[in-house]
Structures are given as structure tokens and as C-alpha cells.
């Protein structure tokens, strides 16, 4: 089903329930924090996931679920990059509707998360990458605890101004490929200002993964969310 | 909303015995029921690539073929499960009627997803027991029958739901794959609806024989091209649907 429901702004500590997993494991520890990465095609979601894995894998036990639209390309990219062991990467097929699999019917993604934890033991962090979609795609709070929306400067510097649920409600907005700004005539200051205006205080990170340690700020944000998640009563 | 006077009189409150449940079946059979079906084409993606399904007429032929084979088998399994047949025996019967390993894997995956959603929707000890017995998933029609029980519905509801799903999935996939006019796809479903009803009734008759004759009484109508196509499709490097 191809559905376009309106999306409500999300709170900061959405606890997955219902068909999902309770936030606390039977042994009393909190289950893995699940962070969704969404955004338009080609904005750099997979590259950001790969960089995050590289930055966080030494301190956290992590796994990745990809939602490819019609191939296993994203999963295979991560495998090729060698950022994680193959058993820590799972690809979900989405039947031509990537946003359905992350929002309207999350059952396949929940199962992928469950299988990753079965195969790898208790995890600290699961990154769920959506298939490249449009500006309205957001994750269900039944699937992820926090979400990052990734856009890039080459997609047009008016994208933050145009807004949409991903831009306005994601817990973190990433404006990627800032190194390309001079070549595509993108005004970074304007993008940042528009994004802040749209997001009412929610954080925005401008990044270039070409720069050394370019994912540093996003990795720090994820680390802070993870710390808050563990500390949450 | 401000109160207004109205001539509407709802009559006395409903009595303690409601009419036969019906709305729960609508919830379950709704294409938006979040149990993973949206990612599966029921074989129509392979049939579209092979040019066997190209328009509304060929989609209808495909749906009738699927209904009278895989649909009938699924409907009978679901009805038998809804009538209380041992799900382990039914799951074995489903395996025996599904030669393609790819289709068996798909049926189990969809069964697991359906069970996850159903346990949150209609919590029931029988569903918990089914999940414990099949942590990797039982065949979807077997789960469907158990869910129908949990929802307070009966064997005929299970059979009709399974039979309908056997054609509704391919029809909505064809809309995406062919750019088919959605009205044409819906017209196909309306055209095959009487056959869905007959298939459901036939499935219930078979399921009612199971307590006496065992699962051998269930139909074993095979669709070789669907089985072969599913195996081919599972090997494609690029595809829109999981099956």
C-alpha cells in the first residue's frame, strides 16, 4: 500500500511498543537504541552510516538495517567498505514503497532488528537506513527511538526553506556534502538559517564526509543520544 | 462540537449478544493491515517480467489461476487452523503443498510478521503459544487461521480472508509494476469476487473434513509456474518486491 499519512512531530523519548520490542530487556537492561536515517536519494545516507560505523564500532556493539528500494546495493556498499562484519548488516526489501516499510508497516524492519540481536548478542545501537525517498518520509516511533534526516547541498539550497516532515521534525537534520557548495552555487549560511527557522531549536549539522573525521558531529550526537537512552529510567 | 438538537434516535442500546462479528474481518483483510504484505507481489512481478501479465485482462487471468491453486490451498489451511486443527500438523501440510523453497521461506516470513502484528492487535494465549512453537514463523495461512480465532471470527472468515489475499496482493503489485489504472485493478478484484466466495466455501468444506480424515483432506492444488517463477525471482539481483 502506498500511503501518505500526515506525520506528527515526534517527542524525544518515544518508546517502541505494540508490535515492537519493549525498551527494557528481560534482564533489566535497556535494549539497543535504534536510530533511523532517512532522506532523499543520493543525499549521503549510506555514506553517513558507513562513517558512523567507523567512528562508533570500537566503543559500541552496533548493527545496521538497510531498506533498499530494488536492490541490495546499500547493504553491499557497507559490506564492501568493510565497516561492519557481514552478520551485523541486514537488508530489508520494501516492495517499491520505502516509506511504507519504515512508517506504515514496520514488521519486516522489526524482524530484521530482532534477527540481528539474535545473531550478534545484545547490541548497543542499531542504525536503520531508509531507502532513498522524498521529503515527506519519516520513521515510525514503533521502529526507531530517534531519527536523522539527511539532505545535501546539491539537492538545492531551497530544500530547508521548503520544509516537510523530515526537515522540520527529525531529531537531527544533516546538511551533507558542504564541500560541493561552491560548485553548485549553494548558500550554506542560508540553508543553515532556513533550517533553524523551520526546526524551532532542533539541531542541525552541516558536514562534509570528504573532510577528515567529517562525521564527528553526527557521531557525537548519536553517542549523546545513546548515553541518554541508557540513563533513562 | 456544540450540541445540536436532532431527530436522530439511536434506539435502545444493543443487547448483550452482538450480531456475528464482521468489522474485525475488515480490519484483518484491510490491505493496510501492517503485516508485511506490501513488499510481496504474489508472483506477479515475475509474471510481468515474462510478459504474461501486461494489462487488466491478463492480470485477471493471473488472479484466477492463483486463486484456484495457491489461494484455495491457503484458504483451506486457514480455515482448518481457525477451526482449531493442530497448527504443527497444518504447517507440515503447508510445507508438503509448497514445493518451492523460496515460497516456503516467504510464507514463513509473512507468517511471522502477521503473528507479530496480531499479538499486538488481538492478544491471545493461542497466539503466544504459536509464536513459541514457531520462533522463525509458521506458514502465513496457518497463522492467519489462528489470528481469526483470536479475533473472534470463524473458519469461513479465515478462508475468505486467505482467498481474497491471494488475489488482492498481486492486483496492488500490478498497479505499481505496470502503471495499471488502479480502477482497472480494482475492477479485476470485483470480477473475481464471486470466485473468491466459491473458493472460500470449498476451502471450508475441505477443512471440516480434517478432524475425521486428517490434513490429507486438504486440497493440494499446485501452480507449477508460480513455483518455478518464485525460484527464478528469488535469484534476481534487482527487483521491486521480495517475492
Amino acid at each position: 500500500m502506498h500511503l501518505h499519512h500526515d506525520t506528527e512531530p515526534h517527542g524525544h523519548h518515544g518508546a517502541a511498543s505494540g508490535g515492537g520490542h519493549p525498551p527494557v530487556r528481560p534482564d533489566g537492561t535497556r535494549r539497543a537504541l535504534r536510530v533511523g536515517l532517512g532522506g532523499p536519494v543520493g543525499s549521503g545516507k549510506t555514506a553517513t552510516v558507513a562513517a558512523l560505523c567507523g567512528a562508533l564500532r570500537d566503543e559500541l556493539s552496533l548493527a545496521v538495517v538497510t531498506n533498499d528500494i530494488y536492490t541490495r546495493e546499500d547493504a553491499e556498499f557497507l559490506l564492501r567498505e568493510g565497516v561492519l562484519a557481514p552478520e551485523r548488516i541486514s537488508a530489508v526489501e520494501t516492495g517499491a514503497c520505502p516509506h511504507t516499510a519504515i512508517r506504515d508497516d514496520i514488521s519486516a524492519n522489526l524482524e530484521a532488528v530482532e534477527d540481528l540481536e539474535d545473531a550478534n548478542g545484545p547490541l548497543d545501537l542499531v542504525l536503520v537506513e531508509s531507502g532513498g525517498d522524498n521529503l515527506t518520509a519519516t520513521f515510525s516511533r514503533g521502529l526507531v527511538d530517534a531519527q536523522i534526516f539527511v539532505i545535501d547541498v546539491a539537492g538545492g539550497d531551497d530544500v530547508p526553506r521548503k520544509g516537510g516532515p523530515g526537515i522540520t521534525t527529525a531529531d537531527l537534520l544533516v546538511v551533507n556534502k558542504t564541500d560541493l557548495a561552491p560548485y553548485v552555487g549553494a548558500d550554506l549560511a542560508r540553508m543553515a538559517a532556513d533550517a533553524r527557522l523551520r526546526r524551532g531549536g532542533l539541531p542541525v549539522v552541516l558536514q562534509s564526509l570528504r573532510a577528515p573525521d567529517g562525521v564527528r558531529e553526527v557521531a557525537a550526537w548519536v553517542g549523546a543520544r545513546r548515553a541518554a537512552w541508557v540513563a533513562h529510567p | 462540537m456544540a450540541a445540536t438538537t436532532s431527530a436522530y434516535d439511536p434506539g435502545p442500546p444493543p443487547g448483550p449478544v452482538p450480531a456475528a462479528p464482521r468489522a474485525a474481518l475488515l480490519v484483518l483483510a484491510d490491505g493496510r493491515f501492517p503485516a508485511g504484505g506490501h513488499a510481496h507481489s504474489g508472483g506477479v512481478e515475475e509474471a510481468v517480467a515474462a510478459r504474461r501479465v501486461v494489462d487488466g485482462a491478463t492480470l485477471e487471468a493471473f488472479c484466477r489461476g492463483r486463486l484456484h491453486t495457491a489461494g484455495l490451498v491457503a484458504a483451506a489451511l486457514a480455515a482448518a487452523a481457525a477451526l482449531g486443527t493442530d497448527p504443527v500438523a497444518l504447517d507440515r501440510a503447508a510445507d508438503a503443498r509448497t514445493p518451492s523453497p523460496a515460497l516456503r521461506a516467504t510464507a514463513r516470513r509473512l507468517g511471522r510478521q502477521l503473528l507479530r502484528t496480531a499479538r499486538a492487535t488481538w492478544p491471545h494465549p493461542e497466539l503466544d503459544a504459536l509464536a513459541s512453537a514457531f520462533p522463525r514463523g509458521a506458514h502465513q495461512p496457518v497463522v492467519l487461521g489462528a489470528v481469526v480465532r483470536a479475533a473472534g471470527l470463524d473458519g469461513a472468515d479465515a478462508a475468505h480472508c486467505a482467498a481474497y489475499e491471494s488475489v488482492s496482493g498481486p492486483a496492488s503489485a500490478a498497479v505499481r509494476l505496470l502503471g495499471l489504472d488502479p480502477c482497472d485493478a480494482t475492477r479485476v478484484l470485483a470480477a473475481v469476487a464471486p470466485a473468491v466466495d466459491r473458493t472460500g466455501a470449498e476451502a471450508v468444506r475441505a477443512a471440516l473434513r480434517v478432524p475425521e480424515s486428517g490434513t490429507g483432506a486438504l486440497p493440494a492444488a499446485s501452480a507449477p509456474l508460480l513455483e518455478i517463477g518464485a525460484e527464478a525471482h528469488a535469484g534476481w539481483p534487482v527487483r521491486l518486491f521480495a517475492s
Side-chain angles (χ1 to χ4, degrees):
Chain A
M1 280 288 131
H2 196 92
L3 303 171
H4 287 286
H5 294 159
D6 289 336
T7 324
E8 291 176 8
H10 297 304
H12 273 271
H13 282 288
S17 59
H21 314 119
V24 178
R25 296 189 180 105
D27 68 1
T29 58
R30 294 215 101 192
R31 62 154 170 75
L33 176 73
R34 301 198 295 250
V35 177
L37 288 98
V41 179
S43 63
K45 294 181 296 299
T46 310
T48 302
V49 167
L52 280 174
C53 289
L56 297 170
R57 68 187 164 200
D58 291 337
E59 48 185 298
L60 298 175
S61 175
L62 50 96
V64 174
V65 179
T66 63
N67 283 256
D68 287 315
I69 308 174
Y70 51 83
T71 65
R72 291 176 45 89
E73 293 247 337
D74 290 343
E76 278 160 16
F77 173 84
L78 294 173
L79 288 170
R80 256 196 329 276
E81 293 287 297
V83 293
L84 285 181
E87 65 271 18
R88 288 178 179 269
I89 302 169
S90 176
V92 167
E93 290 173 298
T94 58
C97 276
H99 53 267
T100 304
I102 61 162
R103 187 182 60 202
D104 308 299
D105 180 353
I106 57 177
S107 52
N109 269 291
L110 287 174
E111 242 154 54
V113 171
E114 206 168 272
D115 288 348
L116 284 167
E117 199 141 53
D118 284 349
N120 296 288
L123 298 168
D124 299 318
L125 174 67
V126 179
L127 301 175
V128 182
E129 181 192 344
S130 83
D133 205 337
N134 59 47
L135 295 171
T136 66
T138 49
F139 285 83
S140 163
R141 284 286 159 179
L143 176 60
V144 301
D145 308 297
Q147 50 193 308
I148 300 173
F149 200 73
V150 183
I151 60 172
D152 74 304
V153 301
D157 63 4
D158 53 349
V159 168
R161 182 178 54 75
K162 286 178 179 169
I167 300 285
T168 56
T169 69
D171 300 292
L172 178 68
L173 177 69
V174 174
V175 180
N176 197 26
K177 306 186 191 177
T178 52
D179 51 307
L180 294 183
Y183 307 107
V184 297
D187 181 342
L188 287 178
R190 178 183 152 195
M191 290 185 87
D194 287 346
R196 295 207 166 91
L197 205 61
R198 283 276 174 218
R199 289 172 53 73
L202 288 170
V204 181
V205 167
L206 282 74
Q207 76 173 13
S208 164
L209 295 175
R210 299 265 172 200
D213 202 15
V215 81
R216 184 186 63 252
E217 278 184 85
V218 177
W221 183 87
V222 171
R225 290 302 292 245
R226 159 77 191 153
W229 172 253
V230 174
H232 196 261
Chain B
M1 195 181 291
T4 54
T5 50
S6 165
Y8 172 66
D9 174 8
V17 182
R22 178 173 284 173
L25 179 61
L26 299 179
V27 174
L28 185 57
D30 189 332
R32 287 168 295 186
F33 193 79
H38 71 94
H40 296 263
S41 81
V44 92
E45 181 166 35
E46 194 276 336
V48 165
R51 308 272 310 149
R52 289 193 298 276
V53 171
V54 294
D55 56 15
T58 45
L59 173 65
E60 182 173 335
F62 178 94
C63 286
R64 287 187 189 281
R66 191 164 194 259
L67 172 67
H68 290 299
T69 53
L72 173 64
V73 172
L77 288 163
L83 292 168
T85 308
D86 171 27
V88 175
L90 286 175
D91 192 70
R92 275 201 293 270
D95 260 348
R97 286 159 176 74
T98 315
S100 154
L103 284 183
R104 288 201 297 271
T106 295
R108 289 185 186 286
R109 185 177 309 154
L110 286 173
R112 186 176 163 197
Q113 288 177 243
L114 172 58
L115 190 53
R116 170 191 298 283
T117 303
R119 289 174 77 194
T121 315
W122 292 288
H124 195 284
E126 284 186 20
L127 298 184
D128 298 341
L130 190 58
S132 301
F134 293 95
R136 308 296 303 170
H139 277 258
Q140 194 268 1
V142 179
V143 176
L144 178 64
V147 172
V148 159
R149 278 170 76 80
L153 299 164
D154 65 17
D157 294 323
H160 280 78
C161 191
Y164 177 66
E165 280 181 356
S166 77
V167 294
S168 63
S172 67
V175 170
R176 293 188 223 162
L177 289 161
L178 293 170
L180 195 65
D181 182 334
C183 296
D184 286 344
T186 304
R187 192 177 42 72
V188 165
L189 290 177
V192 300
V196 170
D197 286 332
R198 285 193 297 275
T199 300
E202 182 181 344
V204 171
R205 284 196 299 275
L208 287 170
R209 289 195 296 271
V210 169
E212 195 176 326
S213 311
T215 55
L218 297 172
S222 174
L225 205 49
L226 281 179
E227 302 276 341
I228 293 166
E231 287 300 308
H233 183 268
W236 292 3
V238 173
R239 59 184 184 229
L240 286 177
F241 290 87
S243 76

